[in-house]
Amino acid sequence: MTARSDTAGPLNYKVIFTLTLVHFTGDFYSSFATPLLPVFVEKLGLSLAQVGLLTGTVRLLSFIVQPVTGYFADQYETRFFVLTGLFCAFFFIPLSGIAPNFYILMGCLCLGSIGSSMFHPSTTGMVPLYSGNRTGFCLSIYNTGGTFAFSVGPIFIAWYVAQFGLEKMPWTVTLGAVCFLFCLKYIPMPVSENMRHLGFFGSMKETLGPVWKPITLIWLVMVLRAVSGQTFITFMPIHLTGKGHDLVSVGLIITVFILAGTLSGLAAGYMADRIGFKKIFLLAHLLMTPTLLIYLYLPGSLVYAGAFAAGFTLLATLPLGVVMAQKLAPGSRSMVSSLMMGFAYGLGGALSPLVGILADIYGLDTVLFFSAFIPLACLVLIVRFPDIR
């Protein structure tokens, strides 16, 4: 085997910016579907079962496709996954605005979701090669592109559809096309590890075999954090509406929550490069439970402060788990990135129906209360993390 994981050079700001732009653009379009669900329901007469099937299928694709794409991205030096994935995201999702029925709507959103799943592992795996000795910080910048997109995308598309109508939604491909042309020029060729001759299981054994235990620990923490995060992101709007907040204020609260996570991701990546990833994980998970409880119980306008504190702690470690896995298994950068982000996040989100059933049985407030303690339970796993700087 010809190992090539030592190809990382000095920090290349232009490439890091381009990779972040890919992440922002793809996630910007991926964020369109959720806020438009009520409009799709009204236009196409969708049942709640169809809404559930639609959102569930999109989430399912995100964590099934990513590991597969991640594996192939590690083996082949091609820009196909990045460019095709980005194209599918910005081209097919806007076409959902003119979908005449449920099946075509499902097709547009699923193709867009597959596209998003294609570019994530490839671009995430490329970040360490152009980060110099600032991998944690650069991957946090890259992650910020996605979280910021998910905070501004829903606001943009809600305004756009309100102003111009759902049938004008395809025109939004113009924004994506401009970004696509820029990325087409500046995205470099990915670097593979030349392990195709080993096959899928052989390459996994070669790269993950010696470190499967710490990789599994990190993955479990990422999944459990995703369960807690997805529970609050999915069900807090219902909780807030029940407390008397109108839809506009609920939207602003969620935006504050996500923007806080954008800031904390940058801060966490910057500090992790200096004091170590394990310490940041311990600190963040110690603070997650109290801040989530504050978010849950603060009254009136004080809930904005609670949303900021909760988002700041809950989303801080998202890029750090990816960096730790990449450092442990540099020969499978894209593969482990997909495990820590797409697969862990998607699996955590796929448990939302179970959380909803528990909320129907025991009450939403009770489920949210106990979900806040999941990050605290993760400390048992985090203390066994390797000390990586």
Side-chain angles (χ1 to χ4, degrees), residues 22 24-25 47 61 71 82 90 120 124 133 144 151 206 218 265 272 332 342 376 385:
V22 173
F24 172 84
T25 305
S47 66
L61 287 171
Y71 165 74
V82 177
F90 83 78
H120 272 95
T124 309
N133 62 352
T144 296
S151 66
E206 178 76 18
I218 298 168
S332 293
L376 204 59
F385 278 9

Side-chain angles (χ1 to χ4, degrees), residues 127-128 131-140 269 273 277 323 326-327:
V127 171
S131 301
N133 62 352
R134 304 295 302 280
T135 304
F137 183 60
C138 288
L139 196 56
S140 295
D273 283 333
F277 293 81
V323 180
Q326 288 180 339
K327 288 181 178 292

Side-chain angles (χ1 to χ4, degrees), residues 137-354:
F137 183 60
C138 288
L139 196 56
S140 295
I141 293 175
Y142 168 84
N143 185 68
T144 296
T147 53
F148 185 66
F150 271 104
S151 66
V152 300
I155 297 174
F156 166 79
I157 197 61
W159 167 82
Y160 183 90
V161 170
Q163 288 290 116
F164 304 106
L166 201 60
E167 66 279 0
K168 300 293 184 181
M169 193 172 158
W171 286 102
T172 62
V173 301
T174 306
L175 300 172
V178 172
C179 294
F180 180 82
L181 292 175
F182 180 88
C183 296
L184 185 65
K185 181 177 181 179
Y186 291 109
I187 283 286
M189 188 69 69
V191 176
S192 78
E193 295 297 324
N194 288 339
M195 291 187 292
R196 274 178 284 172
H197 62 286
L198 297 176
F200 179 81
F201 293 106
S203 60
M204 291 301 99
K205 182 180 179 180
E206 178 76 18
T207 57
L208 300 182
V211 293
W212 72 270
K213 289 184 179 179
I215 291 287
T216 302
L217 285 174
I218 298 168
W219 181 78
L220 285 173
V221 170
M222 297 294 281
V223 171
L224 292 172
R225 187 211 61 81
V227 171
S228 185
Q230 287 290 296
T231 297
F232 270 81
I233 290 173
T234 301
F235 295 103
M236 270 302 287
I238 300 172
H239 171 79
L240 292 169
T241 302
K243 291 177 66 175
H245 294 274
D246 59 33
L247 290 178
V248 174
S249 66
V250 169
L252 288 174
I253 291 168
I254 299 302
T255 298
V256 168
F257 181 92
I258 297 175
L259 285 177
T262 302
L263 296 175
S264 68
L266 289 172
Y270 180 84
M271 294 302 298
D273 283 333
R274 283 158 174 75
I275 67 174
F277 293 81
K278 184 175 180 178
K279 292 178 181 178
I280 301 297
F281 261 96
L282 287 169
L283 178 61
H285 279 74
L286 278 170
L287 295 175
M288 283 181 197
T289 294
T291 54
L292 286 172
L293 292 175
I294 289 172
Y295 180 32
L296 182 60
Y297 291 116
L298 274 181
S301 59
L302 291 176
V303 73
Y304 288 93
F308 184 89
F312 194 88
T313 59
L314 188 68
L315 302 178
T317 59
L318 180 58
L320 302 189
V322 178
V323 180
M324 291 184 71
Q326 288 180 339
K327 288 181 178 292
L328 288 168
S332 293
R333 294 181 307 271
S334 300
M335 178 66 175
V336 295
S337 298
S338 67
L339 291 176
M340 297 300 158
M341 294 186 72
F343 194 70
Y345 185 83
L347 185 58
L351 294 176
S352 293
L354 175 60

Side-chain angles (χ1 to χ4, degrees), residues 356-378:
I357 293 172
L358 293 174
D360 284 334
I361 297 173
Y362 299 106
L364 182 56
D365 287 8
T366 301
V367 169
L368 287 171
F369 174 81
F370 283 104
S371 295
F373 287 89
I374 295 177
L376 204 59
C378 291

